Amino acid sequence: MDSKPYTEPGARPPAPVKIVIAGGFGVGKTTAVSSISEIKPLTTEAAITSVAASVDRTGHVPAKTTTTVALDFGCITIDEEVKLYLFGTPGQDRFGFMWQDLVHGALGALVIVDTRRMDDCYPAVDYFENAGLPFVVAVNMFDGALGHNLDDVRWALAVSDDVPLITFDARQKLSVRDALLAVLHNTFKKARAQAGAGA
């Protein structure tokens, strides 16, 4: 998984693939990008003011003192053929207008959810369902344990059976890697299915 400089003479650089990491406020998007990026991630974190705290409903995440106000950016070389460029969306509803620009050109999305705050998860799931972009729903294991059965989570979010639903830990590099690979596999699977349907 460790990135290596691409030095072979005449070799083609890895193909760039854009992946969006989305979800509600405080679900772990910035943490996931920071955990996996092979470069120092670009973040647009700003301090949460008392006014913003009341608007963004920070009561369920009292330890959170900053928030993403534009995007998070990082990258990771998967192998000699693929390099992922990761774009994390802001989680607050008031920054939702930025999502369309961030999603443009993406091959897939990782939608992170916090099962302690299910109501905050619906907008992101709905967005990608309506956008038609392949996505994977990833339950962030904040306490190291799954609070709800995945079947119950799928039912609560009304996620169709063809959308992968996984668990991961945004703090762990290998766990984030596996989640991103799930996004790639899901995207390629849907692309093959569409190609077969059009044949």
Side-chain angles (χ1 to χ4, degrees):
M1 186 62 189
D2 293 336
S3 60
K4 297 180 181 178
Y6 207 85
T7 57
E8 184 179 340
R12 297 176 62 180
V17 174
K18 181 178 181 180
I19 298 292
V20 173
I21 298 180
F25 175 76
V27 296
K29 301 179 297 295
T30 300
T31 300
V33 173
S34 300
S35 295
I36 194 71
S37 181
E38 64 192 16
I39 63 170
K40 182 178 180 180
L42 167 67
T43 61
T44 55
E45 293 282 288
I48 298 176
T49 64
S50 58
V51 173
S54 63
V55 172
D56 296 328
R57 296 172 298 171
T58 62
H60 292 289
V61 282
K64 188 170 175 58
T65 59
T66 61
T67 185
T68 300
V69 295
L71 61 88
D72 298 314
F73 173 78
C75 62
I76 182 66
T77 303
I78 296 296
D79 54 29
E80 293 180 351
E81 297 182 354
V82 176
K83 184 170 186 175
L84 301 184
Y85 290 87
L86 310 174
F87 290 77
T89 66
Q92 307 93 319
D93 293 342
R94 57 199 166 100
F95 295 126
F97 67 92
M98 301 182 62
W99 281 39
Q100 185 172 350
D101 289 336
L102 290 175
V103 168
H104 182 72
L107 262 66
L110 182 70
V111 178
I112 303 176
V113 301
D114 179 354
T115 56
R116 301 171 302 180
R117 298 179 289 131
M118 294 296 287
D119 287 348
D120 295 339
C121 303
Y122 301 128
V125 172
D126 290 344
Y127 180 89
F128 287 102
E129 284 182 336
N130 294 329
L133 187 71
F135 68 100
V136 170
V137 175
V139 177
N140 195 359
M141 305 278 280
F142 282 94
D143 301 317
L146 183 61
H148 300 278
N149 181 281
L150 286 183
D151 289 337
D152 293 338
V153 174
R154 184 181 294 280
W155 178 85
L157 294 176
V159 177
S160 63
D161 290 339
D162 66 334
V163 174
L165 177 60
I166 63 173
T167 61
F168 88 124
D169 188 331
R171 302 165 298 182
Q172 301 296 325
K173 179 178 182 178
L174 293 181
S175 187
V176 177
R177 178 204 63 183
D178 291 344
L180 293 173
L181 289 176
V183 173
L184 285 180
H185 293 155
N186 183 52
T187 297
F188 295 150
K189 177 182 177 181
K190 289 187 178 297
R192 286 193 298 267
Q194 290 175 354

